[in-house]
């Protein structure tokens, strides 16, 4: 079942030299101390309730855990693809474009003749994963101490309870090498988004599409910011214009992204994903099992009024947590001020350390609370679940990232310190972030693999000695052979795009909120992002397990988050301009009431321009609209074509048989 | 062809006693001086290019004009309904709900057995109208001095050039009597929206649905306003709370309407109207004829960049017109002030009259310009065309209706006069409006009909005298008989819902903008609207020609207009509160800067609440989403059902024929 390379792997570059694992789309691993009985119970359930899956049980040699290697035959994959309404490309002769796969018309699909290439590894993994997820508990099922409710999905439930350790798809080394060459190392070339989408799935491709678009869009404010910085005449009016320009840029960028994301969604084939209620609920969605009003299948149902009741608890809890963070941070700032003035010099960094400590503790605690509350709110769809989690986490992140800046800008009104702080955040924090994100996991993994190979070296020595004393040669090979699957089990799991988006959201905040205080913000952001794209790519391609692919139509709630940031930016910039005394410079002798009035007027004017811009730029590009209309028209007429086809077939049949009967006569 | 009633009609109630016109769905009439040749040319084109239509040419006896009475057979209507993808209700046994009609599955549709009742009169008229509209010019066609371009629709073009005078559907007296009973006279019962929709079409039903919903929503602010007015303690804080409450009410009302409109659209069967590009373009849409990228049919195509170029002219022109109105009105106000102080008493009303005159002149001129510009902008769809016209007309209407109030509130800062003006506008203007709208056309029509019958009386006298001298008896009957069609030709055309919406839009503006100045605004609006609903209903049922039905998904651009009004209301109310000195009452000793700051704070707070409310209320009700999902699921599975059906049919056929051959053997 595994191609035996036979060579002992001793380098730290363990992964690339590992023996590729064949015939495995999805790997399920168990904890080291898993009960043999539990493992076999799950094995039995999978093979009995999903006989179309081929499951091989193995016990990994080096880290002694059980693992299921799961795959399916091409015929079974095709059948499942039809059930999942998976979209596949049509042949050019059949109009190209995407269509839901179905067996009856399979000949229309591109590459159907080639059973090895028809599905990409990602598609195979998705199909097998969905098949595994769909295995449901029956009445009386229980594993270990976990009693399963009838209809519950067995594998996701066991995963959430820790009975199964992880479930992961395997990397494909050939695809990965191509991605490394075309993406990670191709610094100045456009990203190969189609390749990314077909290897990692649409969600990750959409993130990188967005990141690329954002980075390109940053070129304009970066250039203007640089010019503004270099030829700073100290002219007050130009500062106002620069601030307004930055806000308008933010609005145009977000509107343009709406169009671009539709384009990407069309390109990735997810633009007209089915209605939410037609898609399957999240495996961990709880509720009374009822026949779905839509599909008639038995499905958990959780009434909306219950969720509203839950909101009555979760929203106050979240608000309370946020206010705690707010107060703790303010106290630390106050303490800092106090220490700056009254405490001995060596204690000056004490409040900063306290702040860092409390933020990191609160971060951990808050995240746990947010996830728990979000689980409790029990959303039906992965997408909604995630959107609500995003909002919860962003509230914390915003306070955490912007409170200190607001404190300096509006309470201390110290613009020099604001500028310093921004430079520190935009340069230092982001470089550290990149290191933390990409380098640390990579090094950690290297160390881990190095240790593993050391251990194996020892093992080999022992076995060789044993062999020399008259043992079996094959035992050496078998024990010291590392397979790709074993190596990837040890890699870190890629959590989600959430952290990556959050980082960029905060950076976008720095750029649009404080551009009037620090004109080079966009330049710093641009430089960072050029590196960020490749370091994120590097991270995905070399330090993490392959993630399961997810389909998305766009960037979801991030659009709303970024737009909100744009709106806050209008207010903050106007307030900053007012505080910096620019209006007094433009109209000497203006009264305080006048300053406030000019500020409001400017604010309302900018909001009005924003609304006009949003209204003037259509959300969907014209050509996409045409394509969608074509699709709809085809769908409407397809119906007629089928009826015609049926009629012709029947006439043919009848004439054939009458001919036969004639001949028979 | 006409049931001869034989009786001479001499009462003023001409219409109800007219001889009902049978076998006529759509009536086309020509001007009195129409050239016989032109009429016959058009007759020939219609009968040749749309042979499925049955056209009868008549010359009306009393007002000597040519008229075409157009109808079609049931079979032709069915065929056309399929081509138009008209939605019809399914039988309960086939799942109920709406489905696009098709002949193959015609058995599934409700009432198909009954050829008289299957289509409502409205549906028959719509189908025949579309068939008439679809008749296209061929190369070299020309009528009178009008040279038609190949592919142009003949009838709409002739209508726009005045060669055809009007094209109208006929009323159905039985339906109308039912509507009068259940709708016009049923003052306190809910409106029969389904009947309205099936008689007048979805667009008009949607207007009355909206008007009803708005009126019901007004009960809340009316009650609170009344309480506030009756128990006015002069407490400053409660005034602030009342103003904020009114704004939030406006937001909740608009959000709730979004949901309600989806419900109505579902009820009227227009919720999932096809994509814009699949629907036919407006008949008067110009452009080079090209095959449509979607349907492949030859269609006019007008590139978007050309429209953008046109915008570069139209937008400045509109803005210029608006500023002219603005300036003229301001000048009149200034003149009024001058006259009030310096001129003799008898000339005091002179500027008011000047204002009224100039507004009405400007209104006429502006409307003509707006329509011309909108025609020039050349929108593909009726819906888009209308939405852009709405925006253009609303700009003028807003200046016209609100400038004087703003002038009094913010320039003169005379709150007593503001209140008086509001009372005058809300009570006097609306009563006059109702009279003008409903009563005047009704009386005018009565007079017209009275004159007609007088004229006929004379004619009869003459004929009788002639007869007495030995003439033909039948001639008397034929000449003096008035048919329903002849009567309805003389009625006024119902322009559009646009004027009705505009009136309500301005009323909504009075309520939300100035609630803090005049708490009884909502009460006045409520009282007016209870009457408005029935007077609008009366107008439609008794003074106007029946309008052609139009399908809409909602209230279109009015939603945006009303939301914008809601946003403006936040600013205006905050400013009014600040000017009225309420904040000084709440915090005695507050500085002017403090007042402005509190105002901004309040404004931002209210906007924040508005955004939260908008975000918290989902736009689509849950049950509608379920219904849509069901529909989508059915569409997806329908495909499979058809394939299955085909297979079974084939198997049946084959087995039958093999049986036959067996028997033959």
């Amino acid at each position: 079942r595994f191609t035996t390379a036979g060579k002992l792997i001793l380098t730290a570059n363990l992964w690339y030299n590992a023996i590729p694992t064949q015939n495995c789309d999805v790997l399920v691993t168990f904890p080291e101390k898993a009960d043999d009985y539990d493992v076999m119970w799950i094995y039995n359930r999978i093979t009995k309730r999903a006989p179309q899956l081929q499951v091989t049980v193995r016990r990994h040699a080096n880290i002694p855990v059980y693992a299921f290697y799961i795959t399916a035959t091409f015929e079974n994959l095709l059948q499942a693809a039809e059930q999942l309404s998976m979209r596949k490309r049509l042949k050019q002769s059949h109009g190209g474009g995407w269509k839901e796969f179905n067996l009856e018309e399979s000949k229309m699909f591109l590459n159907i003749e080639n059973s090895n290439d028809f599905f990409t590894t990602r598609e195979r993994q998705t199909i097998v994963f969905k098949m595994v997820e769909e295995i449901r508990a029956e009445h009386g099922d229980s594993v270990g101490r976990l009693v399963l409710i009838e209809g519950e999905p067995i594998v996701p439930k066991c995963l959430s309870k820790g009975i199964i350790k992880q479930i992961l798809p395997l990397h494909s080394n050939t695809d990965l090498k191509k991605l490394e060459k075309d993406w990670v190392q191709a610094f100045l070339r456009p990203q190969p988004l189609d390749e990314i989408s077909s290897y990692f799935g649409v969600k990750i491709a959409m993130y990188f599409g967005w990141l690329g678009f954002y980075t390109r869009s940053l070129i304009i404010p970066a250039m203007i910011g640089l010019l503004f910085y270099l030829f700073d005449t100290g002219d007050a009016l130009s500062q106002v214009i620069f601030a307004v320009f930055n806000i308008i840029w933010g609005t145009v960028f977000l509107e343009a992204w709406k169009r671009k994301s539709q384009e990407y969604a069309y390109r990735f084939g997810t633009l007209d994903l089915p209605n939410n209620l037609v898609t399957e609920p999240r495996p961990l969605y709880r509720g009374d099992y009822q026949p779905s009003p839509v599909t008639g299948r038995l499905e958990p149902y959780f009434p909306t009024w219950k969720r509203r009741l839950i909101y009555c608890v979760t929203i106050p809890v979240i608000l309370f947590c946020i206010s705690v963070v707010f107060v703790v941070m303010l106290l630390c700032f106050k303490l800092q001020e106090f220490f700056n003035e009254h405490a001995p010099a060596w204690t000056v960094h004490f409040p900063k350390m306290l702040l860092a400590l409390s933020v990191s503790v609160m971060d951990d605690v808050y995240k746990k609370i947010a996830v728990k509350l979000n689980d409790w709110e029990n959303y039906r769809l992965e997408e909604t679940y995630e959107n609500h989690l995003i909002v919860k986490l962003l509230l914390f992140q915003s306070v955490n990232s912007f409170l200190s800046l607001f404190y300096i800008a509006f309470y201390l009104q110290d613009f020099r310190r604001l500028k310093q702080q921004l430079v520190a955040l935009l340069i230092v924090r982001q470089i550290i972030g990149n290191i933390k994100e990409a380098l640390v996991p990579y090094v950690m993994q290297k160390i881990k693999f190095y240790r593993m190979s050391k251990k194996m070296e020892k093992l080999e020595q022992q076995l060789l000695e044993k062999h020399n004393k008259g043992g079996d040669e094959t035992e050496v090979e078998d024990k010291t052979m590392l397979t790709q699957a074993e190596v990837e089990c040890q890699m870190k799991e890629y959590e989600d795009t959430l952290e990556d988006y959050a980082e960029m959201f905060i950076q976008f905040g720095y750029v649009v909120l404080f551009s009037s205080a620090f004109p080079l913000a966009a330049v710093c952001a641009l430089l960072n992002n050029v590196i960020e794209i490749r370091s994120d790519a590097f991270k995905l391609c070399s330090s993490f397990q392959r993630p399961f692919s997810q389909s998305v139509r766009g960037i979801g709630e991030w659009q709303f988050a970024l737009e909100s940031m744009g709106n806050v930016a209008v207010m903050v910039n106007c307030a900053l301009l007012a505080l910096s005394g620019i209006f007094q410079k433009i109209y000497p002798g203006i009264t305080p009431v006048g300053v406030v009035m000019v500020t409001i007027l400017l604010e309302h004017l900018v909001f009005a321009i924003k609304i006009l811009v949003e209204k003037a730029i259509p959300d969907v590009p014209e050509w996409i609209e045409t394509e969608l209309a074509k699709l709809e028209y085809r769908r409407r007429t397809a119906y007629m074509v089928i009826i015609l086809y049926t009629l012709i077939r029947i006439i043919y049949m009848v004439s054939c048989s009458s001919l036969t009967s004639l001949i028979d006569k």
Side-chain angles (χ1 to χ4, degrees), chain A residues 260-297:
Chain A
K260 197 76 189 177
S261 85
Q262 300 257 356
E263 210 180 302
Y264 283 145
Y266 177 75
R267 200 165 137 188
F268 302 148
T270 58
L271 189 55
D272 52 345
L273 275 185
N275 186 306
N276 289 340
L277 286 169
V278 178
T279 54
E280 292 279 311
R282 231 156 49 85
L284 291 179
Y285 178 61
R286 306 177 312 267
D288 302 329
Y289 277 80
Q290 286 182 5
S292 149
V294 177
T295 58
R297 281 192 294 255

Side-chain angles (χ1 to χ4, degrees), chain A residues 24-43:
Chain A
C24 172
D25 291 308
V26 168
L27 187 67
V28 174
T29 67
F30 291 84
E32 278 188 50
K33 287 170 195 163
D35 188 16
D36 283 11
Y37 178 78
D38 291 351
V39 174
M40 286 323 290
W41 188 89
I42 293 173
Y43 175 78

Side-chain angles (χ1 to χ4, degrees), chain A residues 180 184 239 294 356 385 402 459 467 472 520 573:
Chain A
E180 287 214 326
V184 183
Q239 280 187 19
V294 177
Y385 176 85
F402 296 111
L459 196 73
H467 169 66
D472 190 2
L520 288 185
N573 274 291

Side-chain angles (χ1 to χ4, degrees), chain A residues 162-405:
Chain A
I163 293 166
I164 290 173
K165 195 182 169 204
Q166 52 187 356
I167 172 161
L168 70 155
L170 293 185
H171 273 293
S172 149
N173 272 336
T174 46
D175 291 350
L176 212 51
K177 266 176 196 146
K178 202 163 170 327
L179 273 177
E180 287 214 326
K181 199 169 133 283
D182 295 347
W183 187 30
V184 183
Q185 292 157 10
F187 232 80
L188 292 169
R189 262 186 288 155
Q191 304 180 76
L193 289 178
D194 293 315
E195 278 176 49
I196 300 170
S197 152
S198 78
Y199 188 79
F200 285 114
V202 177
K203 192 176 177 189
I204 289 175
M206 191 62 88
Y207 166 69
F208 281 100
W210 177 81
L211 184 57
F213 186 74
Y214 170 52
T215 306
R216 265 171 285 145
S217 304
L218 272 173
I219 294 174
I220 302 161
M223 267 169 46
I224 291 182
L226 198 64
L227 288 176
F228 190 78
Y229 179 78
L230 293 176
F231 307 105
D232 186 12
T233 55
D235 177 32
L237 194 65
S238 71
Q239 280 187 19
V240 176
I241 292 170
F242 180 68
V244 171
F245 163 80
N246 267 292
I247 292 164
I248 304 298
W249 165 79
T251 311
V252 174
F253 155 63
L254 288 174
E255 284 300 305
W257 167 251
K258 260 190 214 160
R259 293 165 64 85
K260 197 76 189 177
S261 85
Q262 300 257 356
E263 210 180 302
Y264 283 145
Y266 177 75
R267 200 165 137 188
F268 302 148
T270 58
L271 189 55
D272 52 345
L273 275 185
N275 186 306
N276 289 340
L277 286 169
V278 178
T279 54
E280 292 279 311
R282 231 156 49 85
L284 291 179
Y285 178 61
R286 306 177 312 267
D288 302 329
Y289 277 80
Q290 286 182 5
S292 149
V294 177
T295 58
R297 281 192 294 255
L298 217 63
E299 249 183 26
Y301 173 75
F302 188 74
T304 315
W305 62 265
K306 264 195 196 168
R307 190 171 302 122
R308 290 211 186 107
L309 273 186
I310 292 175
Y311 281 148
C312 297
V313 181
T314 56
I315 292 174
V317 170
I318 290 289
L319 291 181
F320 175 75
C321 290
I322 300 291
S323 8
V324 168
V325 177
F326 193 86
V327 170
V328 168
M329 285 182 76
L330 275 190
L331 282 178
C332 286
F333 298 155
K334 279 278 175 198
L335 204 66
Q336 178 75 60
E337 270 183 79
F338 177 80
F339 271 64
N340 281 352
E341 285 166 28
H342 305 288
W346 63 271
T347 58
V348 137
H349 293 294
F350 175 67
K352 261 183 209 152
M353 282 155 61
L354 187 70
L355 178 66
L357 189 74
S358 54
V359 163
S360 93
V361 168
M362 287 186 302
D363 192 19
D364 278 359
V365 174
Y366 180 83
K367 251 186 208 159
K368 272 185 195 130
I369 294 176
V371 170
K372 273 266 182 304
L373 292 180
N374 215 47
D375 283 343
W376 192 31
E377 284 167 8
N378 193 24
Y379 295 102
R380 190 177 175 280
L381 294 177
E382 204 63 61
E383 206 183 323
T384 341
Y385 176 85
E386 208 184 292
N387 282 342
H388 280 86
L389 192 59
I390 288 172
V391 173
K392 290 193 180 69
L393 293 179
L394 272 196
L395 282 174
F396 178 86
Q397 287 278 335
S398 303
V399 173
N400 185 3
S401 307
F402 296 111
L403 192 64
S404 65
L405 291 168

Side-chain angles (χ1 to χ4, degrees), chain A residues 577-636:
Chain A
L577 288 175
L579 285 179
S580 68
I582 276 180
F583 299 128
Q584 282 94 330
K585 271 193 212 162
I586 300 175
Y587 312 101
I590 194 172
T591 59
V593 174
V595 170
V596 181
M597 295 291 263
V598 169
T599 312
I600 307 175
L601 220 82
L602 184 69
E603 192 211 6
H604 283 69
L605 193 77
V606 174
F607 270 124
I609 297 174
K610 264 179 76 90
I611 290 169
L612 277 183
V613 167
E614 279 165 15
K615 189 90 183 146
I617 301 177
D619 285 357
V620 185
E622 213 181 328
W623 70 269
I624 295 271
E625 235 168 327
T626 310
E627 289 300 320
L628 285 183
K630 265 188 211 172
L631 214 73
E632 189 175 318
Y633 183 73
R634 223 182 285 154
R635 215 177 280 151
R636 274 159 196 271

Side-chain angles (χ1 to χ4, degrees), chain A residues 488-586:
Chain A
E488 289 186 16
C489 281
Q490 297 304 312
M491 286 161 86
K492 254 183 98 170
E493 197 185 338
Y494 178 71
E495 289 273 352
D496 202 7
T497 51
L498 205 147
E499 295 280 322
D500 294 325
Y501 273 119
E503 196 188 333
M504 285 299 111
F505 166 76
I506 285 160
Q507 189 202 66
F508 180 74
Y510 292 147
V511 174
V512 293
L513 290 177
F514 299 104
S515 52
S516 57
F518 178 49
L520 288 185
V523 180
C524 294
L526 176 61
L527 289 179
N528 175 74
N529 287 4
V530 171
I531 301 165
E532 177 87 27
I533 295 179
R534 307 304 157 170
S535 82
D536 278 356
F538 173 74
K539 177 174 92 177
L540 264 172
C541 289
S542 53
S543 322
F544 284 97
Q545 287 173 4
R546 185 172 184 175
F548 278 109
S549 99
Q550 279 175 275
S551 280
V552 292
R553 255 165 286 213
I555 61 172
E557 207 66 357
W558 292 106
Q559 183 77 29
F560 173 71
L562 292 165
E563 280 169 11
S564 306
M565 184 60 89
N567 286 331
V568 173
V570 179
M571 295 181 252
V572 170
N573 274 291
C574 287
L576 281 178
L577 288 175
L579 285 179
S580 68
I582 276 180
F583 299 128
Q584 282 94 330
K585 271 193 212 162
I586 300 175

